[in-house]
Amino acid sequence: MADRTNDPNQHVLVASRRQFLREGGTIVGGATVSAVVGGDVLADPLHGENLPPNVPEWMKSPGDPVGSQLYGTPSPFEKGVTRNIPKSGDPVFWTSSRTPLQDLDGIITPNGLFYERHHSGVPAIDPAQHRLIIHGLVDNPLIFTMDDLRRFPSQSHIYFLECSGNPGFKKPYGKTASDLVGLVSCAEFTGVKLSHVLQEAGLRREAKWIVAEGADAAALTRSIPIEKCLDDALLVYSQNGERLRPQQGYPLRLFLPGFEGNMSVKWLRRLHVVAEPVYSREETSKYTDLLPDGKAREFTFYMDAKSIITHPSGGQKLKSHGFHEISGIAWTGRGKIKRVDVSVDDGKSWQEAQLQEPVLTRALTRFRLPWRWEGGPTVIQSRAIDEIGYVQPTLSDLVGVRGDSSFYHNNAIQPWRIAADGEVTNAVGDFLNPHKNDDKNGR
Ligand SMILES: Nc1nc2c(c(=O)[nH]1)N[C@H]1C(S)=C(S)[C@@H](COP(=O)(O)O)O[C@H]1N2
Ligand SMILES: [Mo]
């Protein structure tokens, strides 16, 4: 490689960078990003030698050759961006890991950071020995290999997946967006429409439910209404372009867009077509919501509209006054997000945020709001409204309706407190006993 320091174009580049530094970058509303022009960057004792106008060390010799990583991994400087297992000492967390929502941009969750929830660990399945059986109220019971399933016409869709215990219903504990709501992720899923495969089997008239079973030690089992199976249910084998990761159900999972996460059965081995739900453990003792009248609500399929500000969010710190972009994610199991409102004055007033295209059905939607922080303490929060007109509630409104005995399906507004020094913390009031209904086994 030529010595770049002797390249005349290099000097032009260096000169324009210096000019940029002197003038400062300008952005929305004429606000200046002061970090870019921080006065002492050139004198920084640690990094000074690599800063403009010097030629950084990484330009002085060729870098690693192509193929030095046959499967790519992020920059070592990003090693802090990982799945999150909150260290609360509570064993319930050891069976799930959360997406670091506050560290991600856009709407797609990288496969290595997709949240995990396993009831009995991750089975190591040889795809050559994996089969999907369809039986029960069908004309032709069938057994498929993975190759058989890949012969069907395929579809790809971007969808979110969210655990119904995200977060538990009590005072949501944890500091960061990930601690609180990290059991939601979003990816492009590829597979076969379940309705195509069911057509092959030939549904009988009495077929009303399909019981899906996973090939893990938990044999996780859920009954799914036939309407969903014939609508947008997918038999998924790929996620974000590559085959499913073992944690996400390799080699085959059921995917039910918009439904609570535990119904999207991973490591799918069996579809039993029946007339009535089977009332498995995961639809009786788990994943039901105890209401104030003492009755348990069962089969709460769809995840209601929800949103969270991921920047700035808990654990972060605003380092300077002036311009900050507020940004976050919103989603609804009922279809598309129609609007997201943001309040920067502790709920006194609300402004409509900008929705980033594409706004997709049953996918995360990114929202943004330009904001100037004048330095005072405040509370910021977001409120999602979906296309059926449903408005994301506050936690106190939700508890008012649901009582305080529920555990699942908390889609309350998440407020963040910003202190005068810029520190961002979880501002959910502790009018509720934080651990009262924590479920030690469920989620
Ligand atoms: N077979 C099987 N399927 C399963 C589970 C499981 O433990 N076993 N966990 C469920 C739960 S509770 C959730 S929230 C989602 C999590 O999917 P993920 O790990 O791909 O994020 O898978 C669901 N499907
Ligand atoms: Mo879950």
Side-chain angles (χ1 to χ4, degrees):
M1 191 168 95
D3 178 358
R4 296 253 206 118
T5 50
N6 293 331
D7 176 353
N9 292 330
Q10 183 63 29
H11 295 294
V12 173
L13 190 64
V14 168
S16 64
R17 276 187 197 155
R18 293 177 88 170
Q19 201 175 2
F20 175 79
L21 288 179
R22 251 181 267 120
E23 290 166 3
T26 16
I27 44 163
V28 206
T32 299
V33 179
S34 58
V36 177
V37 289
D40 280 342
V41 281
L42 297 181
D44 183 329
L46 275 179
H47 304 290
E49 279 160 31
N50 288 324
L51 295 179
N54 298 329
V55 174
E57 58 186 289
W58 41 86
M59 292 180 74
K60 293 179 182 167
S61 61
D64 287 343
V66 146
S68 52
Q69 282 191 330
L70 286 178
Y71 195 99
T73 54
S75 160
F77 294 97
E78 300 299 320
K79 68 175 188 297
V81 180
T82 62
R83 288 188 176 118
N84 162 26
I85 304 176
K87 294 183 185 50
S88 72
D90 182 340
V92 72
F93 289 119
W94 306 346
T95 60
S96 55
S97 74
R98 288 142 197 264
T99 294
L101 297 172
Q102 66 281 357
D103 297 321
L104 301 181
D105 295 314
I107 60 170
I108 298 292
T109 311
N111 286 340
L113 298 174
F114 205 90
Y115 86 90
E116 304 161 85
R117 169 68 178 107
H118 319 307
H119 290 244
S120 254
V122 182
I125 298 180
D126 172 358
Q129 296 179 55
H130 187 73
R131 298 289 183 275
L132 172 67
I133 177 169
I134 302 185
H135 67 133
L137 297 171
V138 292
D139 296 331
N140 321 298
L142 293 167
I143 293 183
F144 295 99
T145 64
M146 287 308 300
D147 286 344
D148 294 337
L149 289 171
R150 288 186 65 90
R151 288 188 59 201
F152 280 85
S154 64
Q155 293 197 349
S156 298
H157 298 273
I158 296 175
Y159 291 129
F160 78 83
L161 183 70
E162 184 183 19
C163 178
S164 48
N166 186 38
F169 210 81
K170 297 302 94 187
K171 179 198 175 187
Y173 34 29
K175 290 193 173 81
T176 66
S178 177
D179 296 346
L180 292 156
V181 187
L183 296 175
V184 65
S185 303
C186 183
E188 185 195 54
F189 294 95
T190 302
V192 190
K193 278 201 86 170
L194 176 55
S195 60
H196 285 171
V197 177
L198 291 175
Q199 222 166 32
E200 197 87 354
L203 286 179
R204 300 248 176 94
R205 218 160 21 90
E206 320 86 83
K208 290 287 179 302
W209 294 77
I210 297 188
V211 182
E213 182 188 86
D216 52 343
L220 186 123
T221 299
R222 286 286 323 237
S223 313
I224 298 135
I226 198 76
E227 294 77 13
K228 186 66 173 176
C229 298
L230 296 175
D231 181 16
D232 56 359
L234 278 182
L235 299 175
V236 163
Y237 42 74
S238 289
Q239 179 177 315
N240 289 335
E242 61 182 0
R243 297 297 165 87
L244 285 170
R245 297 283 173 94
Q247 294 76 11
Q248 268 63 57
Y250 183 84
L252 185 71
R253 91 178 297 168
L254 181 62
F255 198 94
L256 304 176
F259 272 26
E260 58 180 7
N262 74 81
M263 300 185 70
S264 283
V265 174
K266 300 190 278 190
W267 313 294
L268 182 70
R269 69 185 291 265
R270 187 153 81 107
L271 293 170
H272 188 197
V273 183
V274 292
E276 304 279 345
V278 288
Y279 292 102
S280 69
R281 189 191 83 130
E282 277 77 34
E283 49 209 30
T284 50
S285 87
K286 305 298 165 204
Y287 305 110
T288 53
D289 303 304
L290 191 56
L291 299 178
D293 64 4
K295 290 197 175 140
R297 181 175 70 177
E298 58 189 18
F299 300 127
T300 309
F301 300 133
Y302 278 109
M303 300 303 290
D304 282 322
K306 189 159 167 180
S307 68
I308 186 167
I309 294 173
T310 53
H311 181 86
S313 63
Q316 297 174 343
K317 184 168 182 172
L318 298 179
K319 294 196 183 87
S320 54
H321 300 176
F323 179 80
H324 292 276
E325 181 179 74
I326 290 179
S327 158
I329 45 173
W331 62 100
T332 171
R334 312 268 180 186
K336 290 189 168 102
I337 287 293
K338 190 172 84 192
R339 205 176 87 210
V340 176
D341 297 332
V342 170
S343 171
V344 296
D345 57 4
D346 202 2
K348 287 184 206 63
S349 66
W350 296 83
Q351 303 170 58
E352 187 169 342
Q354 183 199 335
L355 301 186
Q356 169 74 55
E357 295 289 341
V359 176
L360 301 170
T361 296
R362 298 177 177 134
L364 294 188
T365 296
R366 174 69 54 181
F367 64 87
R368 308 171 197 286
L369 185 81
W371 176 53
R372 287 191 66 84
W373 180 54
E374 305 302 349
T378 190
V379 171
I380 62 172
Q381 56 201 313
S382 62
R383 171 173 79 189
I385 294 125
D386 68 17
E387 65 181 344
I388 65 163
Y390 175 93
V391 182
Q392 184 184 4
T394 61
L395 184 57
S396 55
D397 284 350
L398 193 58
V399 171
V401 173
R402 201 82 64 75
D404 69 352
S405 298
S406 279
F407 175 75
Y408 302 102
H409 296 279
N410 173 1
N411 65 325
I413 288 173
Q414 172 60 47
W416 298 116
R417 184 176 309 285
I418 299 180
D421 66 355
E423 207 80 60
V424 189
T425 52
N426 181 3
V428 173
D430 49 13
F431 61 96
L432 295 164
N433 173 355
H435 298 289
K436 184 178 164 217
N437 295 305
D438 282 351
D439 184 316
K440 299 286 182 255
N441 310 308
R443 230 166 253 262

